[in-house]
């Protein structure tokens, strides 16, 4: 599969996917990167000679994705709701830093999720990778991974633990989707 990764921040999940690709963990190739702003994570695109676009224009984004024969969009810390036009054209998956449906939806991203988890004294958190539909964080779940956060002293510690699981889970989902596609 040809992948496009959408980012808005530091790009650690994007970097984990580049590493997995380079290690041959999956066969898919990251062909394009989209960001809604000049995100720090774009440095990984530049370092790895991966074409990228900084834009919020859905028509421009769709054209570029089609030009690069993209099969799957991977949202990896992308903080813009995906338009219906893009969803009509492409399969889109998202990685979310909680066990959906808990701590999902409008306003629940990044540290907002981890702060809420910590404030609610949760003992378990995790990661969800799901298909994206028109409703935030409500698409069909592909894979969830739990982790014990009972020893975490603050939201920052939870964030670091969850991020490790995100990196592993995202590459597993790419491999799973490849295998599912071949099985059809």
């Amino acid at each position: 599969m040809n992948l496009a990764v959408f980012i808005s921040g530091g790009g650690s999940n994007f970097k984990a996917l580049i590493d997995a690709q380079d290690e041959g963990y999956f066969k898919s190739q990251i062909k394009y990167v989209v960001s809604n702003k000049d995100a720090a994570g774009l440095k990984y695109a530049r370092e790895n000679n991966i074409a990228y676009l900084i834009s919020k224009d859905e028509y421009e984004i769709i054209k570029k994705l089609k030009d690069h024969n993209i099969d799957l969009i991977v949202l990896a810390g992308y903080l813009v709701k995906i338009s219906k036009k893009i969803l009509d054209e492409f399969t889109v998956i998202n990685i979310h830093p909680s066990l959906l449906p808990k701590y999902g939806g409008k306003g629940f991203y990044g540290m907002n999720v981890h702060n809420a988890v910590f404030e609610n004294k949760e003992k378990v958190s995790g990661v969800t990778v799901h298909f994206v539909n028109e409703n935030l964080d409500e698409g069909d779940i592909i894979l969830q991974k739990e982790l014990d956060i009972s020893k975490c002293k603050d939201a920052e510690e939870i964030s670091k633990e969850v991020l490790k699981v995100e990196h592993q889970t995202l590459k597993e989902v790419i491999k799973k989707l490849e295998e599912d596609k071949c099985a059809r």
Side-chain angles (χ1 to χ4, degrees):
M1 293 184 298
N2 290 334
L3 308 178
V5 181
F6 283 34
I7 65 172
S8 291
S12 71
N13 275 310
F14 172 39
K15 175 69 166 91
L17 287 176
I18 292 170
D19 292 345
Q21 173 184 285
D22 291 349
E23 293 162 7
Y25 185 86
F26 51 69
K27 295 181 181 98
S28 294
Q29 295 292 305
I30 301 166
K31 296 291 188 182
Y32 208 65
V33 179
V34 174
S35 184
N36 58 309
K37 60 184 181 177
D38 189 14
L42 290 173
K43 70 181 176 187
Y44 301 121
R46 290 188 284 272
E47 289 169 359
N48 290 277
N49 297 314
I50 301 170
Y52 66 90
L53 172 68
I54 300 169
S55 179
K56 294 178 187 172
D57 181 323
E58 63 189 9
Y59 295 101
E60 181 181 24
I61 292 168
I62 290 168
K63 181 183 181 328
K64 293 289 187 181
L65 296 176
K66 286 183 174 182
D67 289 349
H68 285 84
N69 299 310
I70 297 304
D71 300 304
L72 178 69
I73 296 172
V74 179
L75 305 183
Y78 189 64
L79 300 179
V80 177
K81 186 174 182 198
I82 298 299
S83 72
K84 181 166 175 11
K85 285 181 180 31
I86 291 174
L87 291 173
D88 287 345
E89 297 282 344
F90 299 95
T91 300
V92 183
I93 66 170
N94 180 48
I95 186 150
H96 186 79
S98 78
L99 296 171
L100 292 175
K102 281 183 125 177
Y103 307 106
K106 188 170 174 60
F108 280 110
Y109 60 88
M111 284 307 295
N112 294 353
V113 171
H114 305 303
N115 285 326
V117 166
F118 184 73
E119 287 167 14
N120 287 318
K121 298 177 177 37
E122 299 282 358
K123 301 293 182 213
V124 174
S125 190
V127 171
T128 304
V129 180
H130 64 93
F131 288 106
V132 174
N133 63 21
E134 291 179 50
N135 302 312
L136 286 175
D137 299 327
E138 291 183 15
D140 291 341
I141 292 171
I142 303 166
L143 183 62
Q144 283 188 318
K145 293 238 178 130
E146 287 186 8
L147 74 143
D148 179 353
I149 56 165
S150 61
K151 292 184 173 56
C152 292
K153 293 173 183 59
D154 56 28
E156 194 66 43
E157 217 172 288
I158 294 169
S159 171
K160 288 176 185 166
E161 293 302 310
V162 168
L163 192 59
K164 292 177 203 169
V165 177
E166 284 185 43
H167 294 168
Q168 180 63 33
T169 306
L170 195 52
K171 72 181 188 179
E172 287 176 20
V173 167
I174 300 300
K175 190 171 187 168
K176 177 184 181 342
L177 292 175
E178 285 177 345
E179 291 166 358
D180 289 353
K181 194 172 185 179
C182 290
R184 285 185 201 156

